[in-house]
Amino acid sequence: MNLLVTGAAGFIGSAYVRTLLASDAPDAPDITVLDKLTYAGSLDNLPLDHPRLEFVQGDIRDTELVGKLTGQADQVVHFAAESHVDRSITGASDFVLTNVVGTQTLLEGALRGGVSTFVHISTDEVYGSVDSGSSTEDHLLRPSSPYSASKASSDLLALAYHRTHGLDVRVTRCSNNYGPHQFPEKVIPLFVTNLLDGHQVPLYGEGANVRDWLHVDDHIQGVELVRTKGRPGEVYNIGGGTELSNRELTGLLLESCGADWDRVTHVEDRKGHDLRYSVDWSKARTELGYRPRHDFRAGLAETVDWYRDNRSWWEPLKRRMGEEHA
Ligand code: NAD
Ligand code: DAU
């Protein structure tokens, strides 16, 4: 079986590919990764010499390349995206081009190429902010940022390819992932690496915004369950079960790095900052047997240790981020 995985030089896609390649099960797939290697993608995240892995550098909007790769693939798992909310606020066009146009290009390729299953990776942010309770899969889509609006658009396109053409599309919507290899612009790796370097951490507003934290390996488990046991045309929420305000999260990160609150700088809030996301993942639990296995505190401690032990992975990325902002 040949699995085409997009965006797998990034944080979550690379964890997914590393996990599948580590399996020696007889039905373990051959994997082709298609990734443009934007600022967020790194070949250091992938075991490039693995005999079951082929890496292709390219854009998911390249119709010809996508046509060729989907023609060779049995299934597609689509992670590629512009993924950082703050970047979508300062410039939205790459988000529309990759997340919307790119996803449509892939869906069209999958349809023409006879792909049997297409798993589209989405996000809890498409539901918008929920003050109380948790969003089920049929909750209204009320995205707030250009990022989440572009993801919601791509979800609707993916589901339309199922309704219109009968393509076996499955959509996952997960909460905030954490773990090793996450680009140090996202809050956990940004704060940890700043603290390890003796710098301040920028907490937006009062730090009252709440996120649900999901270990990347639990997310991957959910994606595999959806790919292998899910139903065509269905959406599955994948949650982590650990809701924390950013203030609470910051406290834990300070503690893990042996730092005090004087290392926190309160900075201007993110525009349109969603107060809280929370997904109801009972459908994935009852239908697929999904449940998050990682204890948050233990997972966070391991993640902090990974950043402590892998400076050579993140220091060049932070240098480049510094140059970008210079
Ligand atoms: P990431 O930013 O770490 O990686 C994205 C990858 O996509 C990079 O390797 C990049 O090079 C590649 N890419 C970007 N544009 C491309 C293009 N036009 N063509 C080919 N490749 C391209 O992202 P991530 O955090 O690993 O997120 C993966 C997916 O999961 C995204 O779809 C994101 O919306 C979704 N998601 C992420 C989170 C999270 O907490 N990180 C939570 C929910 C959903
Ligand atoms: O909910 C899923 C989403 O989680 C994914 O779809 C996105 O791809 C992913 O980036 C993430 O989005 P968030 O905006 O929630 O993640 P981020 O790490 O950027 O921010 C988490 C919280 O921390 C948010 O409330 C903003 C706050 N924050 C973030 C940064 C970067 C700060 O207070 N300071 C910061 O410097």
Side-chain angles (χ1 to χ4, degrees), residues 2 6 25 29 50 64 86 93 105 112 132-133 170 196 199 203 213 219 235 239 264 273 279 289 308 321:
N2 191 320
T6 70
H50 196 288
E64 200 180 320
D86 290 326
S93 59
T105 307
R112 288 171 191 253
S132 59
R170 304 160 190 201
L196 293 177
H199 300 316
L203 183 61
W213 291 99
H219 181 198
V235 178
V264 177
H273 197 172
V279 284
R308 199 175 269 125
M321 280 166 69

Side-chain angles (χ1 to χ4, degrees), residues 6-14 34-42 45 58-61 78-84 97-99 102 120-125 147 151 172-178 181-183 185-186 213 219:
T6 70
F11 166 46
I12 306 172
S14 69
L34 171 60
D35 196 297
K36 187 177 174 180
L37 296 181
T38 67
Y39 79 93
S42 168
N45 291 337
D59 196 314
I60 55 167
R61 285 181 298 139
H78 173 36
F79 291 95
E82 287 293 336
S83 69
H84 192 42
L97 292 173
T98 287
N99 300 359
H120 172 65
I121 308 300
S122 187
T123 168
D124 59 2
E125 297 203 9
Y147 162 69
K151 292 296 291 186
T172 64
R173 293 184 182 142
C174 68
S175 44
N176 282 58
N177 285 218
Y178 72 98
H181 295 266
Q182 186 171 29
F183 194 86
E185 64 187 349
K186 306 284 163 55
W213 291 99
H219 181 198

Side-chain angles (χ1 to χ4, degrees), residues 16-178:
Y16 179 71
V17 166
R18 290 193 304 274
T19 300
L20 291 195
L21 291 177
S23 160
D24 53 8
D27 59 348
D30 291 332
I31 295 177
T32 303
V33 167
L34 171 60
D35 196 297
K36 187 177 174 180
L37 296 181
T38 67
Y39 79 93
S42 168
L43 291 179
D44 291 344
N45 291 337
L46 290 167
L48 289 174
D49 54 358
H50 196 288
R52 286 195 285 114
L53 175 66
E54 185 194 5
F55 179 80
V56 178
Q57 181 172 3
D59 196 314
I60 55 167
R61 285 181 298 139
D62 180 338
T63 311
E64 200 180 320
L65 178 60
V66 163
K68 179 176 160 234
L69 297 178
T70 47
Q72 294 163 356
D74 299 299
Q75 298 187 347
V76 175
V77 181
H78 173 36
F79 291 95
E82 287 293 336
S83 69
H84 192 42
V85 174
D86 290 326
R87 286 179 188 256
S88 81
I89 294 168
T90 51
S93 59
D94 279 348
F95 287 74
V96 175
L97 292 173
T98 287
N99 300 359
V100 185
V101 180
T103 298
Q104 187 273 330
T105 307
L106 269 177
L107 288 162
E108 190 64 31
L111 181 65
R112 288 171 191 253
V115 159
S116 69
T117 299
F118 186 112
V119 182
H120 172 65
I121 308 300
S122 187
T123 168
D124 59 2
E125 297 203 9
V126 298
Y127 299 120
S129 195
V130 286
D131 288 350
S132 59
S134 301
S135 313
T136 52
E137 288 80 357
D138 55 6
H139 189 282
L140 267 184
L141 301 189
R142 279 202 173 135
S144 304
S145 68
Y147 162 69
S148 51
S150 68
K151 292 296 291 186
S153 309
S154 64
D155 289 19
L156 295 179
L157 276 167
L159 294 168
Y161 268 75
H162 172 70
R163 286 284 289 273
T164 304
H165 298 294
L167 184 66
D168 174 349
V169 170
R170 304 160 190 201
V171 176
T172 64
R173 293 184 182 142
C174 68
S175 44
N176 282 58
N177 285 218
Y178 72 98

Side-chain angles (χ1 to χ4, degrees), residues 272-285:
H273 197 172
D274 280 335
L275 180 64
R276 173 175 174 265
Y277 305 123
S278 177
V279 284
D280 178 330
W281 43 274
S282 47
K283 178 175 172 182
R285 187 185 64 231

